[in-house]
Amino acid sequence: MNKPLVKLAQPWQDCLAHEQGFKPLLERAKKHDALTHAVQNAVHSLGFASISQSLLVEWRPDRPSELVLVVPNATIGSRLHQIAPSIAKELNQHQWLIRQVQVKVKPKQLAVKTNRVDEDPPEFTQAAQRAWEGLYQKLSPQSSLRQSIERLLKNRKSKR
């Protein structure tokens, strides 16, 4: 049995088992959203407005005094780690009882465009066309580079 998956599914099971349904889950979501806005306001008020928009807040109801801030790079992470006590103090002033603020660095996944079949290659200028043809003529006929340049010249259009 996948323990992390079961642990993740527990709040859903609890909601379905109770008479109130999804009301407790919705309340937790609202509380998390309010905490996220409070953290962003705290970071903004400490003079780091640019950082406040790039962080995610992880908060678990079973550990209400712990807060985890997830950031996209180590630079922001080190800056937040330095001001973590000030963030906790700022949140405590607004009735959030936070004793510990942790910072995690989790880089964003880069979206790689893999479907390039439909795109036409960029056209060569006349000067680029002449330069590639000149290089092609200088290489020996057995050269793999010459064969690659030959394919390149066949597949590229030149600007007129």
Side-chain angles (χ1 to χ4, degrees):
M1 185 183 301
N2 189 345
K3 289 184 181 182
L5 185 59
V6 170
K7 191 175 183 179
L8 184 65
Q10 192 64 40
W12 294 92
Q13 290 174 339
D14 292 343
C15 290
L16 294 174
H18 295 296
E19 192 175 297
Q20 295 177 341
F22 286 103
K23 186 176 180 182
L25 190 62
L26 184 60
E27 289 172 359
R28 276 195 350 210
K30 286 181 181 178
K31 190 170 184 178
H32 184 270
D33 188 50
L35 179 61
T36 300
H37 287 297
V39 168
Q40 288 177 340
N41 289 339
V43 172
H44 189 277
S45 69
L46 291 170
F48 298 96
S50 61
I51 294 176
S52 68
Q53 298 302 317
S54 63
L55 59 90
L56 295 174
V57 177
E58 285 184 3
W59 176 76
R60 295 177 37 187
D62 58 331
R63 296 182 189 163
S65 64
E66 294 180 12
L67 182 67
V68 179
L69 303 177
V70 181
V71 294
N73 61 49
T75 305
I76 295 173
S78 63
R79 179 61 66 175
L80 278 179
H81 187 68
Q82 291 172 352
I83 64 170
S86 300
I87 293 171
K89 183 179 177 184
E90 187 78 22
L91 292 172
N92 287 332
Q93 290 176 354
H94 292 91
Q95 280 63 41
W96 292 99
L97 301 176
I98 303 296
R99 291 191 186 103
Q100 183 179 6
V101 177
Q102 297 176 354
V103 179
K104 282 186 186 177
V105 176
K106 188 174 184 180
K108 292 182 181 178
Q109 297 295 325
L110 297 176
V112 178
K113 188 175 181 182
T114 58
N115 191 7
R116 296 184 59 151
V117 176
D118 298 336
E119 294 180 11
D120 289 330
E123 296 178 349
F124 282 148
T125 61
Q126 291 294 331
Q129 183 76 25
R130 284 192 304 270
W132 281 112
E133 289 172 353
L135 180 60
Y136 175 78
Q137 297 299 326
K138 290 179 185 176
L139 296 171
S140 69
Q142 294 82 17
S143 171
S144 61
L145 181 58
R146 182 182 171 120
Q147 294 168 0
S148 297
I149 293 174
E150 184 179 7
R151 283 193 307 269
L152 176 73
L153 290 171
K154 282 183 185 177
N155 295 328
R156 296 286 172 122
K157 299 175 186 173
S158 60
K159 288 184 180 179
R160 304 219 194 287

